[in-house]
Amino acid sequence: MVEFIVNPTFTVAQGSNEESTEEYQKYRWRWNNNPALNIVDDFPIHVDFESAAPCNLRCVMCFQSDKKFHEENELGYMDFELFKKGIDEGRQDKFGNKKLASIKLNYRGEPMLHSKLVDMVRYAKQKGVIEVMINTNGTLMTEAKARALIDAGIDKVIFSVDGCTKEVYESIRVGAKFDQVVENISRFKRLRDEVGKTNAAGELKPRIRIQAVLQETNKHQVEEFKKFWGSHVDIVAFDDMYDMSLGSKGSFPEVEKKFACPQLWHRLFVNWNGNVTLCCGDTYNEEVVGNLNTDKLEDIWKSRKLMAFRKLHLDGRSGDMKICDGCGLRGAVLRRMIKESAQLV
């Protein structure tokens, strides 16, 4: 049965990717409850390792299509030894407990461009990372790469595809060919099914998710999108394209004091060059809090600087942080909170 999700930001998708192992359940409990209970573990629950910063597409809604992004950012590929350092730090036993639970092998770029992506997946799984995933545009998912990723033990593959017709898809995903992507995703599922690996819940592995960013060009296709892609994947998801100017400090005084971004209790982002940042929205690395080449992720995670950032959010002052003020995701959540409050009256 295909699961359909609308606007999954800051929510947990239950059902088709839920496993029954005790370790997995502990990991998901931490993800769901640590922010609300202000629990700061010894290590982030999740780390996004930017395997590749470049991208082979220039999607209309993406910063990769902005000339300024390329002028102001050096884009490269993560060294495999640096990646191993981060994994080794996170999966060390401490008082009998393991720390790093999940990773995603991309951030700003296309992970399939990295020559050692499969090795990264295999290394993380061998070290005991519970959930290893990638988010890819699917254009480079050849049969050989698909087989290799499945064999390495990848747990989830998220395909970002913003249309279900050639005209709409190619107008958004500039540089991609719709028919080829459909073939790549369809073949990936067929190979997954043939291999027959399962997770602890008995579901075929890796779980396959497809998602679209809803915008003027494609928002009329929601039902058609679900029907077209539902047979190719396990989960179909939609999210809004956020206006990054609609979340600035003081815009929502009635609910701002009730908002704290859960990412500060969930995850860190390690850029290809080792720079560590806090947020998926910090594409220009405006708030670098350390570097994996010289610092330990555990020390960064529990640093005074990050604890001060968490306190700002808990005090309802998230807008005082430069990377949070004006954040479209923050604005979307605040607007949702206002709507929910009105419904309770």
Side-chain angles (χ1 to χ4, degrees):
M1 180 178 179
V2 178
E3 178 182 0
F4 297 104
I5 307 171
V6 179
N7 295 334
T9 303
F10 295 140
T11 65
V12 178
Q14 300 291 346
S16 60
N17 70 331
E18 185 176 14
E19 294 191 29
S20 57
T21 64
E22 182 179 356
E23 190 176 19
Y24 185 90
Q25 292 299 327
K26 286 181 178 179
Y27 145 49
R28 295 315 300 179
W29 188 95
R30 292 163 60 202
W31 185 273
N32 290 328
N33 293 283
N34 280 13
L37 300 175
N38 189 23
I39 298 173
V40 181
D41 287 336
D42 288 335
F43 204 86
I45 301 169
H46 173 94
V47 175
D48 295 79
F49 290 96
E50 185 178 63
S51 55
C55 187
N56 61 322
L57 300 184
R58 293 295 180 266
C59 304
V60 295
M61 69 290 192
C62 182
F63 48 82
Q64 288 277 2
S65 64
D66 187 350
K67 182 180 178 181
K68 178 184 175 184
F69 175 77
H70 293 271
E71 291 174 345
E72 297 186 9
N73 288 276
E74 182 181 1
L75 304 180
Y77 301 88
M78 181 172 286
D79 181 78
F80 186 52
E81 293 302 315
L82 181 64
F83 168 75
K84 288 168 62 176
K85 178 179 183 287
I87 295 295
D88 290 347
E89 285 184 15
R91 292 304 292 178
Q92 290 176 358
D93 285 337
K94 184 173 185 179
F95 306 118
N97 296 313
K98 292 184 177 180
K99 299 176 285 187
L100 179 62
S102 72
I103 66 169
K104 187 185 285 184
L105 287 165
N106 60 277
Y107 174 28
R108 298 173 296 177
E110 170 52 51
M112 299 293 292
L113 289 170
H114 199 293
S115 62
K116 291 187 176 291
L117 179 67
V118 172
D119 296 327
M120 289 176 165
V121 172
R122 182 175 291 110
Y123 188 82
K125 292 306 297 181
Q126 288 174 346
K127 287 293 182 175
V129 177
I130 301 169
E131 193 162 49
V132 177
M133 63 193 93
I134 61 169
N135 189 322
T136 174
N137 58 43
T139 59
L140 305 176
M141 187 64 78
T142 63
E143 180 173 348
K145 289 181 178 179
R147 289 185 182 277
L149 285 169
I150 294 169
D151 179 68
I154 195 165
D155 296 288
K156 183 186 294 182
V157 176
I158 304 167
F159 291 101
S160 291
V161 179
D162 299 297
C164 57
T165 60
K166 179 180 176 66
E167 180 183 15
V168 170
Y169 172 81
E170 292 184 6
S171 70
I172 297 172
R173 296 262 157 186
V174 178
K177 299 299 181 184
F178 179 70
D179 293 340
Q180 184 62 61
V181 170
V182 173
E183 180 182 344
N184 290 352
I185 295 174
S186 178
R187 182 178 57 229
F188 187 88
K189 183 178 184 296
R190 185 180 72 250
L191 292 172
R192 190 276 307 263
D193 294 352
E194 288 175 0
V195 172
K197 283 188 177 184
T198 57
N199 60 25
E203 301 165 323
L204 286 168
K205 172 186 172 181
R207 306 304 293 163
I208 306 172
R209 169 172 167 155
I210 199 163
Q211 61 189 32
V213 177
L214 295 179
Q215 47 203 287
E216 287 299 321
T217 317
N218 67 1
K219 65 182 183 181
H220 65 285
Q221 284 195 330
V222 169
E223 292 305 318
E224 186 181 357
F225 188 95
K226 290 162 63 175
K227 183 178 180 180
F228 180 88
W229 287 111
S231 62
H232 296 279
V233 298
D234 305 307
I235 305 169
V236 176
F238 303 94
D239 206 353
D240 291 323
M241 185 168 70
Y242 297 105
D243 185 338
M244 301 307 280
S245 67
L246 296 179
S248 58
K249 182 170 61 175
S251 299
F252 311 96
E254 60 269 51
V255 293
E256 277 189 276
K257 291 184 178 181
K258 301 177 183 178
F259 172 80
C261 178
Q263 290 201 60
L264 288 168
W265 285 265
H266 285 160
R267 68 208 293 193
L268 285 176
F269 294 76
V270 182
N271 290 255
W272 72 273
N273 58 4
N275 281 344
V276 179
T277 57
L278 305 173
C279 174
C280 59
D282 192 8
T283 53
Y284 282 81
N285 283 193
E286 294 179 287
E287 193 61 76
V288 175
V289 292
N291 189 290
L292 182 56
N293 286 289
T294 55
D295 305 316
K296 292 183 178 181
L297 291 179
E298 182 174 7
D299 293 338
I300 296 171
W301 182 245
K302 297 188 295 184
S303 67
R304 289 184 178 181
K305 191 170 188 177
L306 262 69
M307 295 304 287
F309 286 157
R310 293 183 184 108
K311 188 174 187 307
L312 279 175
H313 276 246
L314 290 173
D315 290 344
R317 297 171 55 199
S318 56
D320 288 357
M321 292 177 61
K322 183 178 179 181
I323 60 172
C324 300
D325 185 29
C327 172
L329 296 176
R330 173 176 171 271
V333 174
L334 292 173
R335 287 192 296 276
R336 187 178 69 193
M337 290 169 66
I338 291 175
K339 183 177 180 181
E340 290 173 352
S341 297
Q343 291 173 346
L344 295 175
V345 175

